[in-house]
Amino acid sequence: MLARQEKEMVELFQTIPSEPGLWDSITLDAVGQSSGISIPVQLQPVAHANMARRNTVHVYEGELQAYDADVFAISGVVEYRDAAWNYEQPASLPDEYRPERISVLRDAQIRVSVPRASSFHPENHMRLPVCQRTDEPGRWVQPATLPFAAEAHGQPLYGGKVWLPYRCRLRSYTYSAFLQCLDDYRPFSPETTGKYTVHWFGDTNSRRALKKITSLGQWCSGIMASRPQCLCDDSGEAFPRFTGQNTVRDTLLELNDEDGGWSVRENGMVKNRGIQNSLAQVYYHRWEGLTQYNSGRWQDVFKPSALGLYPQANLVVISIGNMDVSFTQFLEYTRQLNELVVLLQSAYDEQHIVLRMPQYFCCRAPSGNPPRRMQKDRNRLYGDYARRLFELHFGSRLHVWDVSGIAETLPLEQRRDVAGCAVNTVPSEI
């Protein structure tokens, strides 16, 4: 009887319609034996009729692109089998996370050589053009191994590592310089006048980013960076510059390069404060994605009567996926996302749009009450669908903020450290 119940439970799990052959959740990395650089290998089901069936052998293939001189070893785990990674159907979630280590031949290593004249050689990195996109692939490296000054690669994170794109280089800005840049260069709307305005729709991760911006980087800096609020959950933390908690859904922030930012209006109520010589402003709508957990219908925020209460946007930031993965089935998510696109096209017919992808998730079972049904492949598929849909409808006006791709290239041990955050938020700097 017990065996029958277990079989029935397994068969409740189904693949997602957009990936009918993805029965198994596999994490596979190529790890540099000298550099520690970790390259995720994205596996896809092979094109074969058997891949649509549950009780058969499933075969996957992937492509490895390595640009750093090193000897790379393959390692990985099978997180789930029989579509148990997709928590949509069962009434309860798997209560254990028991990954199976993948056996790899001892000599299955890949040696990569990089000519000194190559643009991928570290000595040529500072000759690369400045990045123009927000989703460039790259890797985490130890700054001590780099042949250029530390200030050229930004602040180290995750055990002292820095993020380097492969085909371009990043510029390091102070928060003050960033706000001055908004006023001087007016990204994606240089011909407009008036105070530069961002409309930002996001969850707790957006709140964390805005805490950094409004405090000019002081929030969770220095020795304070190891506090639990900085590493994971800041939902109960009082923050003087703006409320940002669930009780306040709409906030108007004024910012400049000397004072940072302060809310001047929260939920329609004017705050008796402000800053002089404001350079930019942010209308921040705190939401729970496209789910039922918002304080009202999420669609209502895009009505002209609602948006008309705030200055017209020069740039729009949309953060979705984290709550949607947790609480919405995939097909319902696609319907909600289609509705969002229609509303954005109506409300913002010229503005550029930044799409913030869902967080990377790995290395543990979901938790929470109600359970947050996050999982590595669910997060990826939800994010990929949103990206493709937005690319189709917004074209060159779209910019993808790929926080997931950045986190996935961390070594697996550090991904496990990040997985200790039950609500799956990012550290303050990402």
Side-chain angles (χ1 to χ4, degrees):
M1 181 65 178
L2 181 60
R4 178 181 176 183
Q5 288 177 337
E6 289 180 348
K7 181 176 185 296
E8 289 175 348
M9 184 63 183
V10 165
E11 292 187 352
L12 281 173
F13 293 101
Q14 300 292 331
T15 59
I16 278 180
S18 65
E19 293 282 354
L22 189 62
W23 293 98
D24 309 291
S25 177
I26 302 171
T27 297
L28 195 67
D29 300 301
V31 181
Q33 301 303 283
S34 298
S35 65
I37 290 172
S38 180
I39 307 172
V41 181
Q42 301 294 348
L43 297 176
Q44 300 294 330
V46 299
H48 193 282
N50 281 352
M51 294 301 290
R53 297 162 49 193
R54 180 188 299 274
N55 298 315
T56 188
V57 173
H58 299 132
V59 180
Y60 303 88
E61 60 185 358
E63 181 181 88
L64 171 64
Q65 295 185 357
Y67 301 99
D68 295 283
D70 207 335
V71 176
F72 290 86
I74 304 298
S75 65
V77 296
V78 179
E79 292 195 308
Y80 296 101
R81 297 181 183 271
D82 293 316
W85 58 269
N86 183 25
Y87 311 127
E88 293 207 338
Q89 303 301 328
S92 61
L93 306 176
D95 56 1
E96 290 187 87
Y97 176 75
R98 294 178 291 185
E100 309 166 44
R101 184 167 294 280
I102 296 173
S103 297
V104 180
L105 294 176
R106 184 172 298 178
D107 59 350
Q109 295 185 333
I110 302 165
R111 184 178 298 275
V112 178
S113 299
V114 180
R116 195 162 186 172
S118 169
S119 62
F120 298 111
H121 195 282
E123 291 185 0
N124 300 318
H125 183 78
M126 295 307 295
R127 298 188 182 97
L128 295 175
V130 175
C131 295
Q132 302 296 314
R133 297 171 58 97
T134 51
D135 58 349
E136 289 284 353
R139 71 288 206 198
W140 291 95
V141 300
Q142 291 291 349
T145 66
L146 299 174
F148 46 85
E151 58 269 17
H153 50 60
Q155 178 177 342
L157 299 167
Y158 296 118
K161 294 182 174 65
V162 295
W163 171 255
L164 289 187
Y166 288 118
R167 302 181 185 277
C168 60
R169 60 183 173 87
L170 298 175
R171 290 183 60 180
S172 180
Y173 289 89
T174 65
Y175 285 92
S176 292
F178 166 70
L179 293 176
Q180 186 64 57
C181 177
L182 293 183
D183 182 52
D184 289 343
Y185 297 102
R186 310 183 64 82
F188 311 119
S189 60
E191 304 301 322
T192 59
T193 59
K195 200 175 299 182
Y196 191 84
T197 302
V198 178
H199 286 191
W200 192 321
F201 304 87
D203 55 16
T204 54
N205 290 294
S206 298
R207 178 182 68 211
R208 294 166 72 81
L210 286 168
K211 283 184 175 182
K212 267 295 188 184
I213 293 171
T214 56
S215 67
L216 298 181
Q218 292 304 304
W219 181 69
C220 286
S221 63
I223 61 173
M224 306 299 287
S226 60
R227 294 185 307 158
Q229 300 96 315
C230 303
L231 297 175
C232 180
D233 186 9
D234 65 319
S235 58
E237 178 190 52
F239 187 68
R241 292 177 176 269
F242 67 96
T243 303
Q245 306 302 334
N246 291 353
T247 54
V248 177
R249 292 291 176 170
D250 296 288
T251 302
L252 182 63
L253 298 159
E254 296 278 357
L255 307 105
N256 72 18
D257 58 339
E258 295 182 356
D259 303 310
W262 294 85
S263 64
V264 295
R265 200 192 318 166
E266 294 184 356
N267 280 356
M269 297 183 62
V270 176
K271 309 287 286 188
N272 187 24
R273 63 188 182 198
I275 60 175
Q276 295 182 345
N277 303 317
S278 172
L279 298 177
Q281 52 195 348
V282 174
Y283 161 51
Y284 169 49
H285 177 74
R286 165 83 168 79
W287 70 2
E288 312 297 341
L290 313 181
T291 72
Q292 62 180 339
Y293 290 97
N294 289 290
S295 58
R297 294 177 71 254
W298 65 263
Q299 296 91 335
D300 291 345
V301 73
F302 296 104
K303 289 181 176 180
S305 58
L307 290 179
L309 298 175
Y310 298 92
Q312 186 175 4
N314 299 101
L315 179 69
V316 181
V317 179
I318 301 288
S319 177
I320 51 175
N322 299 310
M323 298 296 291
D324 307 281
V325 169
S326 298
F327 302 118
T328 306
Q329 292 190 350
F330 184 73
L331 288 179
E332 176 60 24
Y333 169 69
T334 64
R335 288 191 286 267
Q336 298 283 338
L337 204 57
N338 287 335
E339 187 173 1
L340 173 63
V341 166
V342 172
L343 292 171
L344 289 174
Q345 288 175 317
S346 176
Y348 306 106
D349 58 349
E350 296 181 349
Q351 290 88 341
H352 284 235
I353 293 175
V354 176
L355 174 65
R356 190 186 191 279
M357 299 289 276
Q359 301 300 114
Y360 179 75
F361 182 92
C362 90
C363 315
R364 65 175 173 87
S367 59
N369 186 22
R372 293 173 178 258
R373 297 171 185 264
M374 293 179 285
Q375 196 277 334
K376 173 177 72 71
D377 293 286
R378 279 177 59 83
N379 285 36
R380 177 178 60 83
L381 292 171
Y382 276 56
D384 286 350
Y385 183 87
R387 179 176 188 151
R388 292 194 302 270
L389 187 67
F390 275 57
E391 286 174 343
L392 176 65
H393 290 282
F394 299 108
S396 61
R397 288 199 290 141
L398 177 67
H399 309 273
V400 178
W401 184 359
D402 190 9
V403 293
S404 177
I406 293 175
E408 190 175 17
T409 54
L410 285 169
L412 184 58
E413 295 75 18
Q414 288 177 308
R415 280 179 265 166
R416 287 174 177 149
D417 290 342
V418 176
C421 179
V423 295
N424 202 40
T425 55
V426 291
S428 57
E429 287 285 358
I430 298 294

